[in-house]
Every structure is written in C-alpha cells, then in structure tokens.
Amino acid sequence: MGAARVLLTVAGIYTTQSAIGGMSFQALPAVLRSHGAGLELVGLVSLFMLPWALKFLWAPAVERFRQRPGGVRRSRPIILAGQGVAFGLLVLLAALSPREAPLALFLLLAAVAVVVATVDIACDGFTVERLAPATRGWGGAVQVGGGYAGMMLGGGLFLVLVDRAGWTLAVCAMVGLLVLLTLPVLLTPEPPLASLGEDRSENRHRPSLAAAFARPDVRWGLVVVLVFQPGLRIVQGLMAPFLIDRGFDLALLGMLHGVAGTAASLLGALLAGLAARRWGADALLGPAVLAEAAVFLALLAAALVPGLPVAALVGLLLALAAVTGAAFVVLYTAMMGWASLRQAGVDFTLFQCADAMVAALAGYGGALLAGTLGYKAGFGLAAGAALAAAALLPALRARIGTVQPDAAPPGVAV
C-alpha cells in the first residue's frame, strides 16, 4: 500500500473525528447558550472528554477484535461501522431543537463521543501498522493537521452554517461533508501484514493492558508524555482569557484562532514532520519542549508588562500556535515508535489517554492558579514545567529502546 494513499486515508479519518469534536466542544456550548441554556448544562460538555481519557479500558477488546491470524486486520470494518453509527446519531441530532430539547441533544452527542473514541482505537492501530518508521513523521503531521482542519470545520464552519441555515440544515450539511471525508477509508484496501521480527510474529499474542505495561517502551513512554505535556496544556487553557483581558474582542480572537492561528499550527506541523523524517521524532522531543519554554517565558514577560502593542500579542499567539503544532507532531510520531505492532491500538491509546488526563488536570490546575495569583503565575508554572521536561528528557529517552527496522514488510507504506 503506497504511503500517499495511507496518508490520505489517515487525513480523512482524523479530520472527521476532529470535526465531530469541534461540533461538540466548541460549537455546542455556543449554540446552547445562544438558545438560553444554563451554564450548568453548558459546562457538562466537558464530560465529552471522558471517553477519550478512559478508552484505554476497552482498547484491548477492540484490538483483539481488530486483529486476525495471519496478519489480517479489521481496521476498515471497525472504522466504517463506527463512523456510520456516529453519522446516524448526528442525523437524529438534526431532528432535535437546541432550545426545546437541550438535554436530549447533549445525550446524543455524548453517545457520539463514545463511538468516535472507540473508533479512534482502530484508527491508531491502522496508522501505526501501515506507516514505516521513516514515514511516521508525515503520519504525525497528517494526524495533527487533520485535527486542526477538523476543528475549523466543526468549530468554525458549522457555527456559520447554524447562523445562516439553521440547526437542522447545518447538521445535515456537516454529515454530508463527513461522509465525503470517509470515502478514502472505503476505497483503501487493507492487505494482510507480513511478519517481521518479534513485533510481527505470528504467535498467538493476546492484546492486553498487562502486555502493554510489561514493555519498558510503554512505561517510560507514558512518563515522557506526563513530563512533556503539562506546560503546553496549562498555556492552552490560559491564552484566550489572557488576550480577552488585554482587550481583544471575540471577533478578532476568533479570526486569529480560526485562520491565522490554524495556518501557523499547520506550518509548525509540516516543518516538524520534515524534521522528524530527517532526524527522528525522539531526537526532537528536547528541542520541541525548549521551544515551548521560550514562548512561555515570552508570555510571562508579556503578563508582567502592561500595555503591550496588539501586534506583539498577536505575534505571541502565532508563535504559540506554531510551536504547539510542531510539538504535537513530534510527540505523536514518537508515540507511534513506542507502540508495539502486536497491539498498536492498545499501546497508542494508552499514550493518548495519558495526554487527555494531563490536558484535563493541567488545564484546570493552571486556570485555578492563574485565577488566584494572576496570569504570570500560570505562564511561569508552564515555563518551569517545560524547562524541567527538557532537563529530564535525555535520561528518559535513554530508557526507551525503540526498534527502527530498515525495511518494511508488504502492506506497510514506506
């Protein structure tokens, strides 16, 4: 299977998932509030993150169903069936009124979140298995780029459609667009994987959490995720409120996030994908977190200096967006290498769940700290966390012995 075809398929999968996430996490709160829903109900949207943080619990069952003897995989049937269920639930969603049935709408989207998070397990297994190590930098760039593109569709375009055409037509239009994005999966065959080395052996391995935690690459990889991500997750939660408090209105902030910020993130993701192909993602973890620390220190300086020009603040926002896109590509590409091909869906899911938990805890903790002591405390904590990560990463990387084979077996894109 050619690399371009695999990457196109991966792009469609992750853009679709992210678009549904954008509809849930970004658009739904605005729509509910505009129809008079209380903040208590709007705040429940954050619970949609739970399936993404907890999906490691059922990842082994999904992975066991996905794998068949002889290298045969069921990734495509799982993805297509799951996305078909999600699209059906979204069609039901179109028949509801955000004003008259907000709770039913919320429950349907919660069900969609569970389905999409489950499908993501098979998506991750497919991506890790089908991309050779030399191509995984591009895979990470496509994952992150698809995530940003999906957020633009689900969190931006969808709101415009709701405003112009109404809720029902907007949801139906999004479903039609998501079906088109799923076509590459439908048209891409999934040939069996030939065996290569220990990870591709034909013994009767049973995917499980115990098998994942038995591998040093998984244990130390989880530590890397827990060390690498807190600073970035703190700043992500503080940046928009900081700019609002510095006088940015919603229209300007929306334009910067939706257009300029996304473009900067995609540029960072592209450059990181190129660099990972040349030097390897593991080697870029330290430089990426140091780049984050530099931006966080600049934000700390901005929090200490009142009256900065708007252009300087916009520059900081774009720098953060570019560094964020690059950091996610580097980390997620490294995570592909740490996952065993015998249970890629389980291992990669564990790393993602760790990131989701860091996002929830660090984001909330940073917000509490900033609310009590000011933005300077939040940005300072983020910078300290990033610098500490840079100091710890060399020792952590030394404990991860990722195998990088020179050749890939049939069915793996090079």
Side-chain angles (χ1 to χ4, degrees):
M1 192 189 306
R5 190 164 190 172
V6 173
L7 291 172
L8 179 62
T9 302
V10 171
I13 292 170
Y14 287 101
T15 302
T16 299
Q17 292 181 344
S18 183
I20 294 175
M23 293 172 65
S24 302
F25 293 110
Q26 295 183 351
L28 182 62
V31 171
L32 288 176
R33 189 61 176 166
S34 69
H35 285 83
L39 292 176
E40 298 82 5
L41 180 60
V42 173
L44 289 177
V45 169
S46 61
L47 295 180
F48 293 159
M49 182 60 74
L50 283 177
W52 294 90
L54 298 176
K55 63 179 180 171
F56 72 93
L57 295 174
W58 58 91
V62 175
E63 189 72 346
R64 287 194 288 267
F65 179 79
R66 190 180 71 87
Q67 296 184 3
R68 302 295 299 161
V72 176
R73 295 292 185 262
R74 288 172 170 166
S75 308
R76 288 175 68 247
I78 294 173
I79 294 168
L80 291 171
Q83 297 200 162
V85 171
F87 298 161
L89 291 172
L90 289 176
V91 170
L92 293 177
L93 197 74
L96 298 175
S97 166
R99 183 186 300 277
E100 297 174 4
L103 184 57
L105 184 147
F106 173 86
L107 292 175
L108 267 180
L109 273 176
V112 172
V114 173
V115 172
V116 174
T118 302
V119 167
D120 189 57
I121 299 167
C123 297
D124 294 336
F126 174 88
T127 303
V128 174
E129 288 177 346
R130 296 295 161 179
L131 292 176
T135 317
R136 285 177 182 157
W138 289 120
V142 166
Q143 280 182 308
V144 175
Y148 283 116
M151 283 295 178
M152 285 184 64
L153 295 174
L157 175 63
F158 178 62
L159 279 178
V160 174
L161 290 174
V162 171
D163 183 63
R164 301 291 175 83
W167 173 260
T168 299
L169 288 179
V171 174
C172 290
M174 286 299 298
V175 171
L177 180 59
L178 298 180
V179 169
L180 291 177
L181 289 170
T182 304
L183 288 180
V185 185
L186 184 64
L187 300 176
T188 300
E190 192 176 15
L193 289 169
S195 63
L196 175 65
E198 181 182 354
D199 269 350
R200 297 176 189 267
S201 62
E202 293 302 326
N203 59 10
R204 289 190 170 275
H205 173 74
R206 181 177 173 83
S208 66
L209 293 176
F213 285 113
R215 297 182 59 242
D217 281 10
V218 171
R219 296 197 302 270
W220 290 108
L222 287 170
V223 176
V224 171
V225 174
L226 296 176
V227 166
F228 187 90
Q229 286 293 76
L232 181 59
R233 293 305 193 177
I234 290 170
V235 171
Q236 280 184 315
L238 295 180
M239 193 64 190
F242 173 67
L243 293 178
I244 290 292
D245 289 349
R246 285 299 177 97
F248 283 53
D249 59 35
L250 289 176
L252 175 60
L253 192 58
M255 182 181 67
L256 289 172
H257 272 302
V259 181
T262 298
S265 296
L266 291 174
L267 177 61
L270 175 62
L271 294 176
L274 288 168
R277 183 176 177 85
R278 182 177 178 86
W279 291 293
D282 284 36
L284 296 173
L285 288 168
V289 81
L290 282 174
E292 290 179 2
V295 175
F296 301 162
L297 288 171
L299 286 168
L300 172 60
L304 293 170
V305 179
L308 277 181
V310 170
L313 295 172
V314 170
L316 286 173
L317 172 63
L318 296 182
L320 175 63
V323 167
T324 299
F328 274 117
V329 169
V330 168
L331 179 62
Y332 273 56
T333 303
M335 284 159 45
M336 291 185 205
W338 303 334
S340 168
L341 293 178
R342 292 189 298 172
Q343 52 171 49
V346 176
D347 293 359
F348 198 87
T349 293
L350 272 172
F351 298 134
Q352 282 189 321
C353 290
D355 184 25
M357 292 176 185
V358 170
L361 296 176
Y364 184 64
L368 287 178
L369 181 65
T372 304
L373 300 177
Y375 290 110
K376 59 184 181 296
F379 293 143
L381 177 62
L387 291 172
L392 292 171
L393 279 172
L396 295 174
R397 281 185 54 215
R399 295 180 177 272
I400 299 177
T402 304
V403 177
Q404 299 289 341
D406 294 326
V412 176
V414 295

